[in-house]
Amino acid sequence: MAVTTPTSAIDPQDDESNGAGKNNFPDSARHARGNNDPRDNPNGGKQQRNQQPRRDKRDVHGWVILDKPIGMTSTHAVAVVKRLFSAKRAGHAGTLDPLASGGLPIALGEATKTVPFVMDGRKRYRFTVAWGEERDTDDTEGRVTQISDLKPSAEAIRALLPQFTGLIEQTPPQYSAIKIAGERAYDLARDGETVALQPRPVEIHQLSLVEQPDSSHSVFEAECGKGTYVRALARDIGRLLGCYGHICALRRTLVGPFGEDDMIPLEQLEALCDRAASGEGSLADALLPVETALDDIPALAVTRADAARLHRGQAVLLRGRDAPNSSGTVYVTVAGRLLALAEIGNGELIPRRVFNLTGLVASHGRNEKV
């Protein structure tokens, strides 16, 4: 396998990870702004603004799992999808660094209410480590701080991986979005300050060596919980092997319930939007239902009368032999349609978040993941 184009690592809880590359991708930035932005018009854009009236925003509800291309920030990606759908609301569930590719779940409309459930889910990454150099950002964007001529064998790497599996202590990278006295760690590091971050527990569910394309690179797959830093994994493995290392390629293949089968490349999404605009298809075909994010939560069907009470924010008494005897969070449906997130306790169903799915929603064919 050829080594993939160098990328920066993504850290699940970072705000744009190490912050690298934000201003280095003008084509992607222009793409995210659209073709009629006055910043891209040498004449100031006044004429274009008159010729291209602003499109009305509409209610769109569901998930788009974008296969984010290298060179686009998560913020720009959300802006592009929001514009393509003319959606009123949009957000993402887990930042993906500009130089990384893969799954970026984008929530539209009422799906934004389910973002925390995706953020708290497992993530899976496929990443390449370059041996022989440690860098201050723990990826290719940084300054070299340590070097070594030693190249690790596959046997030595595999023997070490159990130390990085399970519940472990991990020190976040200096270039991370963790706040220290109100300042982002990466801002302090860029200003030349020494950033001292404390180790903290993270969970690595699975870590495996996939292949070694050459003596200087190794490809890994990792499945981890919230708060894990992939860059720190590469750094710490390199240190224990005595050869140093940093991330040089990264792809996210799983975020919560969303895997590679759910992803749609940007070019394909744009083509679908063009067909929909000409009446040859529907944008609903690109959406996954809002409740897809709630796969790990039990569902509870209620009557229309009880649904009306829940919709008004009122609790519903659970009685009869069909009443659930459990407690905790459920998502409530009526006639097969998502209604609310609710809590069961003391014989009552108490609504916490009510959904209003009026507008464009996922087509019937996407109600089950392929």
Side-chain angles (χ1 to χ4, degrees):
M1 167 186 169
V3 179
T4 54
T5 304
T7 69
S8 293
I10 168 63
D11 299 314
Q13 64 179 36
D14 271 2
D15 181 9
E16 291 305 327
S17 190
N18 60 12
K22 286 188 177 180
N23 300 313
N24 297 330
F25 305 100
D27 291 340
S28 296
R30 177 171 180 170
H31 193 178
R33 296 196 298 263
N35 294 325
N36 300 313
D37 194 283
R39 288 169 287 179
D40 302 317
N41 184 353
N43 295 320
K46 294 182 179 179
Q47 183 177 5
Q48 284 190 320
R49 285 201 302 268
N50 293 333
Q51 292 176 347
Q52 298 290 336
R54 189 172 181 175
R55 288 187 294 178
D56 291 336
K57 300 296 184 181
R58 58 179 175 174
D59 291 314
V60 182
H61 310 296
W63 287 92
V64 174
I65 315 305
L66 185 68
D67 191 341
K68 191 191 78 67
I70 294 172
M72 177 177 280
T73 68
S74 298
T75 301
H76 288 162
V78 172
V80 170
V81 172
K82 185 178 180 182
R83 176 176 58 82
L84 289 173
F85 281 83
S86 297
K88 291 181 179 178
R89 288 186 294 152
H92 64 73
T95 299
L96 194 58
D97 191 82
L99 297 181
S101 68
L104 180 66
I106 297 176
L108 298 174
E110 295 290 86
T112 56
K113 296 178 179 178
T114 65
V115 163
F117 296 94
V118 178
M119 295 281 285
D120 290 341
R122 293 187 182 188
K123 285 84 176 176
R124 187 180 300 132
Y125 302 92
R126 184 181 180 98
F127 60 99
T128 302
V129 178
W131 305 116
E133 291 181 350
E134 183 172 309
R135 303 194 177 199
D136 57 2
T137 60
D138 300 319
D139 60 24
T140 57
E141 294 291 291
R143 177 178 57 87
V144 176
T145 57
Q146 301 282 356
I147 60 173
S148 172
D149 293 329
L150 180 64
K151 298 297 186 290
S153 66
E155 292 75 19
I157 295 171
R158 289 194 174 97
L160 198 63
L161 294 186
Q163 297 185 45
F164 293 91
T165 305
L167 193 64
I168 66 171
E169 291 284 315
Q170 185 184 76
T171 302
Q174 288 190 78
Y175 285 81
S176 64
I178 293 175
K179 286 191 174 181
I180 302 174
E183 297 286 338
R184 297 287 187 186
Y186 55 66
D187 288 330
L188 297 173
R190 286 197 199 99
D191 291 338
E193 297 187 33
T194 300
V195 179
L197 297 171
Q198 297 301 312
R200 57 188 184 173
V202 297
E203 189 166 10
I204 312 294
H205 303 285
Q206 183 179 354
L207 178 62
S208 59
L209 175 65
V210 176
E211 61 179 309
Q212 285 193 277
D214 55 55
S215 62
S216 297
H217 300 86
S218 298
V219 182
F220 296 86
E221 285 187 352
E223 187 170 313
C224 51
K226 184 179 180 180
T228 304
Y229 287 84
V230 180
R231 285 182 284 141
L233 273 179
R235 177 200 66 202
D236 294 342
I237 292 172
R239 287 178 180 178
L240 282 184
L241 289 169
C243 63
Y244 303 115
H246 63 275
I247 290 281
C248 69
L250 180 82
R251 179 171 174 80
R252 187 158 66 185
T253 59
L254 177 75
V255 188
F258 303 120
E260 288 194 285
D261 289 344
D262 299 312
M263 297 180 196
I264 181 169
L266 181 57
E267 295 80 5
Q268 184 177 334
L269 182 61
E270 289 175 324
L272 177 61
C273 291
D274 289 341
R275 291 196 301 272
S278 62
E280 297 178 6
S282 172
L283 283 176
D285 295 335
L287 292 172
L288 287 171
V290 172
E291 59 267 31
T292 313
L294 308 175
D295 276 0
D296 293 334
I297 300 174
L300 177 65
V302 298
T303 65
R304 293 188 183 276
D306 286 342
R309 288 185 58 84
L310 292 171
H311 195 265
R312 293 193 297 267
Q314 300 171 334
V316 170
L317 289 175
L318 298 173
R319 52 187 180 271
R321 62 182 181 181
D322 293 329
N325 56 12
S326 59
S327 61
T329 302
V330 296
Y331 76 85
V332 182
T333 64
V334 56
R337 188 176 178 87
L338 177 65
L339 172 69
L341 281 166
E343 296 287 333
I344 296 177
N346 298 322
E348 286 188 323
L349 185 63
I350 305 167
R352 298 303 184 194
R353 303 299 297 269
V354 176
F355 297 94
N356 181 11
L357 300 181
T358 301
L360 179 67
V361 297
S363 64
H364 179 73
R366 298 220 70 180
N367 286 337
E368 295 184 2
K369 292 197 289 185
V370 179

